[in-house]
Amino acid sequence: MKVRTRYAPSPTGFQHIGGIRTALYAYLFAKQNNGDLILRIEDTDRTRFVEGAEEYITESLDWLNIQCDEGSLYGGEFGPYRQSERKDLYRQYAEFMIENGTAYYAFDTSEELDVIREKDPNFKYGVNSRIGLNNSLSLSAEDTKAKVEAGDYVIRIKVPAGETVVVKDQVRGVVEFASEEIDDKILLKSDGMPTYHLANVVDDHLMQITHVIRGEEWLPSTPLHVLLYRSLGWENTMPQFAHLPLLMNPGGKGKLSKRSGDRLGFPVFPLAWQHPTEDKNSNGYREMGFLPQAFVNFLAFLGWNPGTEQEIFDMQALINAFSIENVSKSGAQFDFDKAKWFNQQYILQMNAKDFAKAVMPFAPEAQKDFPIEKLVPIAEMLKERTVLLPDFWEQATYFFNQPEEYDQKTVKKKWKDDNKDRLRALKTEIEAIETFDSASVENCIKSYIEDNSYSFGDILLPVRLMLTGVKGGPSVFDIAEVLGKQECLNRMDLAFERFEQMIG
Ligand code: GLU
């Protein structure tokens, strides 16, 4: 049987990275088994619908190259893939359950239930309480009929009494639930819409999902789902379940939240977003300058490891190596420094041209149209100094602009009478270079120092400062080549003047 997994987000907010990790694992598992990933939008709860949330999900998946095989935008034979477009289909299943005695009508108003809950905060509508409540199990057939005809009812599952419901989970093993602990959850609401539980199980069945891979927060709902499969006569084709560990805040306390991300300075969303109606917004990994491949690699390790020392896995390598057995049972601690480490590793692996292309979207206004070809040598130099893509431009300013400031301390130390003359004389040597490139500049400056028995630090450091304004950076000879001879000479002149003023 073909493996079919699904990612089934609800567009009730912007997709947290925990959701994206679920999508990634479902994708890896499907692809490893030559199967398909289905994107299903669970939007039956219209009151919590957030405009733009579905587009956000699709854009995040695209950015990370998590390719869905079926979905509203991808087509497929099992559509529609938005539950709101399937809403007429669910009622028949709830009614089928009424007929076979695994579900019943309930007429309690929410006010009535609130009163009960107030008295007993642990109240469960279920095995032990249902017979005392307002439903087709407690009312006469006649009363029930009249109330159903009046149309104001919900349909609830009738959880069997005195049973242990067994969930076989691929991550957690066998988990048992006493049926007394399981609520008689509503399946069909009074407005005729299905609840998450009914729609989710019906769709997983109709869409022939073989593996349900989702977050651990859904594990407590799973015994109910198992009962639904049984009640609908679908037990033989019930999917396998795998519940993924929660993502935890750094330090391990509590579920990873936007609040702790804000406090510690990292986003918990793949892409930046602005809430359409509320005054809420958030930065995203894409906008911070993460490479999608690095981010995928990082995400994959939040809850899974290959069981070896290897850490760098591109998507294909992840597909090959992923296994549900190696998904951990305990919560995965979020580590932003590790995310940055992955980014750096991927930048280091890139060739200069690809790196140059990757930094282009982050270019300041003045460099927006800077030709890639000319950026490549700079990219080559700054690659190993870049952790997040915008870092590149911060470090690259001196390639595009004359320095505005110079490191004060160094100027004070090196701009001394005898050394001034040496540096001025060096300019004449540099002027005389015919083919101006890194090697010839290096050769010129080094011979000048050696021939005169000067100190390298006295000459090279001020030269670097003249060209860049700062003490550190890539090879000063390489920088000179990129700047070109005339620009280097101009910058030396400018620095001679400014150094004078600075020590003045
Ligand atoms: N719609 C649910 C969610 O938003 C899906 C849970 C599941 O995968 O079954 O997470």
Side-chain angles (χ1 to χ4, degrees):
M1 197 163 54
K2 188 165 199 186
V3 165
R4 290 172 59 82
T5 63
R6 87 305 194 264
Y7 177 46
S10 300
T12 51
F14 291 89
Q15 198 62 71
H16 183 275
I17 53 178
I20 295 297
R21 186 208 45 183
T22 299
L24 174 64
Y25 285 17
Y27 171 77
L28 296 176
F29 184 78
K31 294 300 132 187
Q32 177 171 74
N33 293 288
N34 298 316
D36 288 338
L37 171 65
I38 287 89
L39 175 63
R40 182 174 74 228
I41 302 296
E42 301 208 323
D43 57 351
T44 49
D45 188 351
R46 302 307 284 178
T47 55
R48 293 178 58 217
F49 181 79
V50 172
E51 195 63 50
E54 183 182 336
E55 290 74 8
Y56 181 92
I57 290 163
T58 315
E59 200 180 331
S60 306
L61 297 177
D62 278 355
W63 177 55
L64 296 170
N65 202 21
I66 299 173
Q67 295 168 4
C68 301
D69 300 285
E70 292 173 29
S72 305
L73 296 179
Y74 316 95
E77 289 168 36
F78 296 84
Y81 294 93
R82 278 188 202 104
Q83 288 184 330
S84 58
E85 293 167 16
R86 303 168 66 80
K87 57 176 185 271
D88 297 332
L89 175 141
Y90 304 107
R91 168 180 289 275
Q92 58 185 299
Y93 297 101
E95 285 174 351
F96 173 77
M97 285 175 62
I98 297 246
E99 275 158 36
N100 73 14
T102 55
Y104 59 94
Y105 295 107
F107 312 106
D108 322 78
T109 64
S110 36
E111 293 75 37
E112 284 164 1
L113 294 176
D114 285 347
V115 171
I116 303 177
R117 281 200 192 95
E118 217 159 273
K119 277 196 214 132
D120 174 9
N122 297 324
F123 167 75
K124 271 187 195 316
Y125 204 119
V127 170
N128 294 324
S129 64
R130 61 193 172 211
I131 204 65
L133 294 156
N134 196 358
N135 53 50
S136 56
L137 304 176
S138 60
L139 299 177
S140 69
E142 237 173 37
D143 285 351
T144 297
K145 192 161 175 271
K147 283 185 186 275
V148 170
E149 271 163 17
D152 198 11
Y153 62 83
V154 300
I155 297 181
R156 288 183 182 268
I157 184 172
K158 187 176 170 201
V159 172
E163 231 196 83
T164 302
V165 182
V166 176
V167 172
K168 291 197 189 97
D169 186 84
Q170 292 187 303
V171 176
R172 319 227 117 226
V174 172
V175 194
E176 297 185 341
F177 298 81
S179 63
E180 280 67 24
E181 299 298 315
I182 307 169
D183 292 21
D184 282 0
K185 284 268 193 256
I186 296 178
L187 305 178
L188 201 74
K189 295 185 274 189
S190 54
D191 61 2
M193 285 291 264
T195 55
Y196 153 73
H197 303 289
L198 179 66
N200 184 272
V201 166
V202 166
D203 284 348
D204 280 345
H205 173 75
L206 296 180
M207 294 180 181
Q208 296 179 13
I209 300 303
T210 57
H211 294 77
V212 167
I213 298 173
R214 61 184 172 193
E216 192 179 283
E217 64 274 27
W218 300 104
L219 183 62
S221 299
T222 311
L224 183 82
H225 297 179
V226 169
L227 290 174
L228 279 170
Y229 282 102
R230 194 201 293 174
S231 309
L232 289 162
W234 299 336
E235 214 170 7
N236 290 339
T237 54
M238 185 165 77
Q240 308 222 36
F241 294 100
H243 286 90
L244 309 176
L246 294 175
L247 299 190
M248 309 300 284
N249 284 325
K253 283 219 178 89
K255 259 170 79 170
L256 180 65
S257 65
K258 177 170 185 309
R259 186 143 35 103
S260 65
D262 286 347
R263 186 168 51 81
L264 299 167
F266 60 81
V268 297
F269 297 93
L271 316 178
W273 58 265
Q274 172 78 52
H275 198 285
T277 51
E278 292 165 38
D279 182 24
K280 284 189 202 159
N281 55 45
S282 178
N283 200 0
Y285 283 83
R286 181 180 63 183
E287 289 72 14
M288 275 191 98
F290 279 84
L291 294 165
Q293 312 88 296
F295 191 62
V296 159
N297 196 154
F298 165 69
L299 269 188
F301 271 73
L302 283 177
W304 168 84
N305 72 75
T308 64
E309 294 293 299
Q310 189 185 339
E311 290 188 280
I312 301 299
F313 286 82
D314 65 13
M315 192 66 105
Q316 190 53 52
L318 286 172
I319 291 171
N320 298 340
F322 184 76
S323 74
I324 291 188
E325 295 85 77
N326 281 345
V327 170
S328 74
K329 288 190 184 53
S330 51
Q333 246 188 69
F334 191 82
D335 180 352
F336 187 57
D337 287 335
K338 193 73 193 185
K340 290 199 285 193
W341 179 84
F342 273 110
N343 211 45
Q344 197 173 18
Q345 299 308 308
Y346 275 78
I347 288 175
L348 288 173
Q349 282 183 6
M350 283 175 120
N351 67 41
K353 187 156 187 192
D354 288 342
F355 178 58
K357 286 188 192 151
V359 298
M360 240 10 239
F362 298 90
E365 213 36 55
Q367 274 78 50
K368 279 271 180 275
D369 298 318
F370 197 80
I372 289 281
E373 300 311 321
K374 284 172 76 182
L375 199 61
V376 170
I378 305 176
E380 185 69 64
M381 272 184 259
L382 295 182
K383 216 169 69 158
E384 61 194 50
R385 296 164 189 273
T386 305
V387 177
L388 300 177
L389 298 174
D391 299 350
F392 170 85
W393 294 100
E394 253 165 57
Q395 299 178 72
T397 26
Y398 54 74
F399 286 104
F400 307 103
N401 307 296
Q402 289 180 336
E404 281 175 10
E405 289 174 357
Y406 302 86
D407 182 72
Q408 184 108 19
K409 254 198 189 149
T410 315
V411 174
K412 287 233 155 88
K413 220 156 98 203
K414 302 290 179 190
W415 195 244
K416 301 235 171 84
D417 283 339
D418 45 351
N419 212 32
K420 285 181 197 175
D421 295 340
R422 291 173 195 155
L423 288 160
R424 288 199 173 107
L426 172 65
K427 193 192 148 202
T428 321
E429 302 281 327
I430 292 177
E431 253 166 347
I433 299 177
E434 273 176 19
T435 318
F436 191 89
D437 58 24
S438 175
S440 59
V441 175
E442 178 168 3
N443 187 28
C444 162
I445 301 183
K446 284 192 173 160
S447 325
Y448 175 73
I449 295 172
E450 278 161 11
D451 294 350
N452 294 293
S453 310
Y454 297 148
S455 115
F456 273 84
D458 282 350
I459 304 296
L460 277 179
L461 195 55
V463 169
R464 175 182 289 283
L465 229 53
M466 290 181 215
L467 299 187
T468 70
V470 290
K471 280 194 300 189
S475 147
V476 70
F477 312 117
D478 291 350
I479 296 173
E481 174 176 331
V482 169
L483 292 176
K485 183 168 162 183
Q486 196 50 52
E487 181 64 16
C488 289
L489 296 173
N490 293 348
R491 288 190 185 193
M492 289 183 87
D493 281 337
L494 183 74
F496 292 157
E497 248 174 62
R498 296 224 187 118
F499 286 2
E500 270 309 299
Q501 291 161 3
M502 283 169 74
I503 56 158

